[in-house]
Amino acid sequence: MVREQLSKALGGVRGMIEAAVPTIAFTVTFVVLDEVRTAVFAGIGVAVLLVLIRLAQRSNPQFVLNSLLGIAIAAFFAMRSGEAEDAFLPGIMINAAYGAGMLLSIIVRWPVVGFLIGSVTGDPTAWRRDAGIVKLCSRLTWILLAPCVLRVVVQYPIWLAEGDQSGVLGAAKIAMGWPL
């Protein structure tokens, strides 16, 4: 049940691939051409193309639009500083915030996974009545928390490192994205 809800939340295999493609386009373009502006246009261009394909197929563009928003925010950071690796800073910050939020939800005994279960059952808080379910949801929330922490622990030091780290950050973001 939880796996099904997470798959829906991520848009299934196609949604996860569409979320990664703009980052791949940005990273590869920058590594090959060493030009932030061109890389930004490549990432945004691919995301817009994916939205148009979804619209032409009359399928839900929600996950591609999320990707477009993400690449637009990343582009803002990169264009503002002129440094390609700054495109990865919002993702690092978001993972830190998600991690903090999930940790807080575990501490206050309202684990995030409980709400996923609640969304399936139709009663968003019924799971709270069973201490065993709360404990299980806490354990499962730890599992969701781990990739967020791992992304920050790995990617933030790379972002801090001297020199252009955009290729390494792009590879780390993709490898630590949907596979995790």
Side-chain angles (χ1 to χ4, degrees), residues 99-122:
M102 283 188 263
L103 180 60
L104 180 63
S105 80
I106 294 167
I107 291 169
V108 299
R109 299 192 43 78
W110 282 85
V112 168
V113 171
F115 293 100
L116 290 173
I117 291 171
S119 71
V120 172
T121 64

Side-chain angles (χ1 to χ4, degrees), residues 83-109:
E83 302 291 331
E85 57 268 3
D86 285 350
F88 299 96
L89 185 58
I92 295 168
M93 292 167 44
I94 287 168
N95 274 285
Y98 282 167
M102 283 188 263
L103 180 60
L104 180 63
S105 80
I106 294 167
I107 291 169
V108 299
R109 299 192 43 78

Side-chain angles (χ1 to χ4, degrees), residues 69-158:
L69 176 63
I71 198 76
I73 292 168
F76 171 78
F77 275 72
M79 294 294 285
R80 193 170 133 231
S81 71
E83 302 291 331
E85 57 268 3
D86 285 350
F88 299 96
L89 185 58
I92 295 168
M93 292 167 44
I94 287 168
N95 274 285
Y98 282 167
M102 283 188 263
L103 180 60
L104 180 63
S105 80
I106 294 167
I107 291 169
V108 299
R109 299 192 43 78
W110 282 85
V112 168
V113 171
F115 293 100
L116 290 173
I117 291 171
S119 71
V120 172
T121 64
D123 186 348
T125 59
W127 57 273
R128 289 276 303 146
R129 294 183 206 116
D130 184 332
I133 298 290
V134 172
K135 188 174 182 176
L136 174 63
C137 290
S138 293
R139 288 181 180 158
L140 293 172
T141 301
W142 277 111
I143 292 170
L144 286 181
L145 169 66
C148 292
V149 171
L150 186 59
R151 288 179 191 119
V152 173
V153 166
V154 169
Q155 294 175 22
Y156 186 62
I158 296 170

Side-chain angles (χ1 to χ4, degrees), residues 36-82:
V36 173
R37 185 179 193 86
T38 305
V40 163
F41 288 134
I44 290 174
V46 167
V48 168
L49 179 63
L50 291 171
V51 169
L52 293 174
I53 290 169
R54 281 283 189 155
L55 293 174
Q57 293 174 338
R58 298 181 193 268
S59 63
N60 186 350
Q62 172 191 349
F63 302 103
V64 183
L65 290 172
N66 292 346
S67 176
L68 182 58
L69 176 63
I71 198 76
I73 292 168
F76 171 78
F77 275 72
M79 294 294 285
R80 193 170 133 231
S81 71

